[in-house]
Amino acid sequence: MAATLSRVGNIAAKLLKSHVYISNQCRFIGDSWINGSCIDPTLGLSDEQKQIQKVAIDFARNEMYPNMARWDQEEIFPLDVLQKAAGLGFGAVYCREKYGGTGLSRMDASIIFEALSQGCTSTTAYISIHNMCVWMIDEFGNDELRQKWIPQLATMEKLASYCLTEPDHGSDAANLTTSAKQKGDHFIINGAKAFISGGQDTDMNLVMCRTGEKGPKGISCILVEKGSPGLSFGKKEKKIGWNSQPTRAVIFDNCKVPVSNLVGQLGDGFKIAMRGLNGGRVNIASCSLGAAQSSLELARDHVKVRKQFGKHLEHFQHLQFKLAEMATKLVVSRNMVRMAATALDKNWPEKVSLCSMAKYFATEECFKICNQALQIHGGYGYLKDYAVQQYMRDSRVHEILEGTNEIMRVLISRDLLEDRKYS
Amino acid sequence: MSALRVLVGCKRVIDYAVRVRVKPDKTGVFTDGVKHSMNPFDEIAMEEAIRMKEKKLASEIIVVSCGPIQCQETLRTALAMGGDRAIHVQVDGKEYEGLQPFHVSKILAKIAQEEKVDLLILGKQAIDDDCNQTGQMTAAILDWPQATFASKVEIDNGSLKVLREIDGGLENIKVKLPAVVTTDLRLNEPRYATLPNIMKAKKKPLTTKKPSDYAVDISPRQEVLSVEDPPVREAGQKVESVEQLVQKLRDAGLIVS
C-alpha cells in the first residue's frame, strides 16, 4: 500500500513538472516490458551509450511526451523545451567540444534522436536538422564563423535552417537557380527556397546558392542571418504532420550578405550540402525509429486490453504475427541505421550509400509500422486522442525530405552499377 | 565554518514507471530485465548536495550505493549529476535480498566516520520497500542529530535550519552539524545529467568495497515469509439515498453508529 502511494506521489510530481497532462497518455516511454524484450533499444549498447540514452528517454517522457499532442494541435514550436534539451548537450551533439559542441559520435546522436522522438517526433526532427546545420559550420566554416555561431547554436539560443530545395528544384538540387553575385565585400542573393524547416523562426539560414557555372560545381554555401536586408518569408505552410515546427518558403530579393559569411570555399556548396545530408539522413531515420518504437509499444499495449469476439486481441494469431513482423522490421531498421552511423563515425568510403540505405529502409518500414499500429487500434487509432496517429503523421514526411527515398535508390544503384571512383 | 564534506546515499530501485510484478512463488518481485533507476528521493538528495557545492557551501560530494554490480550504473548517474567520487559496497544475490536498512545504516555510518563527512543526505525512503528507516537508524548509530522529511535546508554557521514536512503541516528545526538529513519530495527538482558530464563521470573515481571492509555483519535479522499483490479492487454499489449510504457505512463499521 505504502509503496503504491509513494509511487503515485512520485508520478504526480513528475507530471506536475510538465504542467499539461493528457488523460489518455497514461503510459510511460520505455515501459516495464520493453526492458529485456527483443525490441529493447538498449540492446548492444555500451554502458556509456545506455547512460546517454537514459537521459534522452527521461527527457522525452518528462518534457516532451506530455506536450506532444498540444504542440501538434496548436502548432507550437516549443523554444523553451528546445533550449532545455540543448542545456543537456542535445543542440550540437556531434560537433567538436572546441567550439561548444558536445563531441559525441554519430552513433550517439542516432541513439539520442531515436529516444527523443518517442517523446515528440516532429520536435526531435527539428533538433536533428539544427544539429546538421551546426555540424556544417563546425566542419566547413572558418574559425570566425565557428566562434561566432557554434556557442549560441549549441545552446539553441539561436536556431538554424537548412536551405537547399527550391520551388522548381527538389530532387534536382544540383541545378538550383538561387543566385549569389559578389559585389565588393557582399553577396547579392536572388531567388527562393521552399519547404524550409524553421523558416522565419530561426536565426540563420545555410543557403545553397549558384555563384558560378551550371551544375553542382557552381554552388556555394552562404550563411544568411535573420534580418538581412532583402530576406523575407512565405506563409506558414499547413502540413499533415511536423506541426511543432514551422515550414515556410525563404525569399531573397537583392538580399545583401557579407562575403565573410561564405561557408567553405566558393563552389563547395553542393559538396557541403551533401555531406551535411549524410548525417541528416541517419538522423531523420533515427527519428523514424523512435516513432515506430512508440507506435509498436502502443499497439502491443492496446491488444492486451481491447476485447473483441469475447477475447483480447492479443489472442488473435493474425495480430500476433503482425506484431512479430513489425518488431522484426523495427530491429532490422535500427541495425541498418546504426550501421550507417558507424560508417560515418569510421568514415567508410561506402558511407553515402549506407546512409541512403538506412534512410530509405528505416523511414519506409517505420512509417509502415506506425500505420499498422494505427490499424491495430481500429477506429480509436484514427482519433487524435490517441498518440499513434501523430507518430504516423509525423513520420510520413521522412520518406520525402533530406533527399526523397527515390533519390536514395538512385544513390544506392549508382554505387552498384557505376565504376568506383577513388578519391 | 569551512565547506562541508557531504555523503549522499543512492539506492538502485525498480524504475517508478514500471508495473511491478510479484514472482509466482511469492518470494519477492521480478527484478531481472526490469528497468531500474536511482531512487527518486535520492535524486533529490543528490540535487541538494550539488546545489550546496555550487554555492561553495560543500567541498566534496561522496556518493555511495550498496547492492549488486549494476549499482555502479546508478553511481555513474550520480557522478554525472555532480558527485565527486563514488563508493560501491558490493552485495550480491541472496545476501542482497536479505539486506535491510539496519545493515545499510551501519555501512553508511562507518563510511561517514571514515570519510569524516559533516553531512549525510539520504532519501526519506526508497520507492521499492518504502522502509523509511535508513536515515533515522544511521543518525542513531552515529549519535548525530537527524532532520527527516526536509523540504528546505539552509546552512547556518555550523548548524542546519531545516523545514520539515510533518503530518500537521511544516516544522522548523535547527540541528548542529554533523547531521543526517532525509529529503522529502518538495525539497528541490533534480536536474538531468548533461551529456558532457556523463562523459566526465567516466573518469571520476569509483571504489568497490565489501560490507566486511567496514566490519558489518549483513546476515539477515528478518525473514520474508510471503510477498503478495494488493487485493484487487472490488466493484462498488449504488445507493438510493443518503440514509441508505449512512446505513451501509455503519454496517461496514466505517462510521461510528
Side-chain angles (χ1 to χ4, degrees), chain B residues 21-34:
Chain B
R21 283 184 303 141
V22 174
K23 287 183 187 168
D25 63 2
K26 299 186 176 179
T27 56
V29 298
F30 281 106
T31 54
D32 282 350
V34 170

Side-chain angles (χ1 to χ4, degrees), chain B residues 152-163:
Chain B
K152 193 174 178 191
V153 178
E154 282 173 284
I155 297 173
D156 180 21
N157 195 27
S159 303
L160 294 179
K161 277 160 77 180
V162 179
L163 185 67

Side-chain angles (χ1 to χ4, degrees), chain A residues 44 69-70 112 119 173 192 209 228 269 300 326 375 409 421:
Chain A
R70 188 169 58 93
I112 290 166
C209 304
S228 299
R300 181 269 191 193
M326 289 157 74
Q375 182 72 18
R409 289 168 167 85
K421 295 187 195 89

Side-chain angles (χ1 to χ4, degrees), chain B residues 147-177:
Chain B
T148 50
F149 320 135
S151 74
K152 193 174 178 191
V153 178
E154 282 173 284
I155 297 173
D156 180 21
N157 195 27
S159 303
L160 294 179
K161 277 160 77 180
V162 179
L163 185 67
R164 300 181 62 226
E165 300 200 7
I166 57 172
D167 286 346
L170 295 168
E171 180 185 57
N172 274 296
I173 60 164
K174 195 168 176 181
V175 291
K176 279 216 174 94
L177 289 168

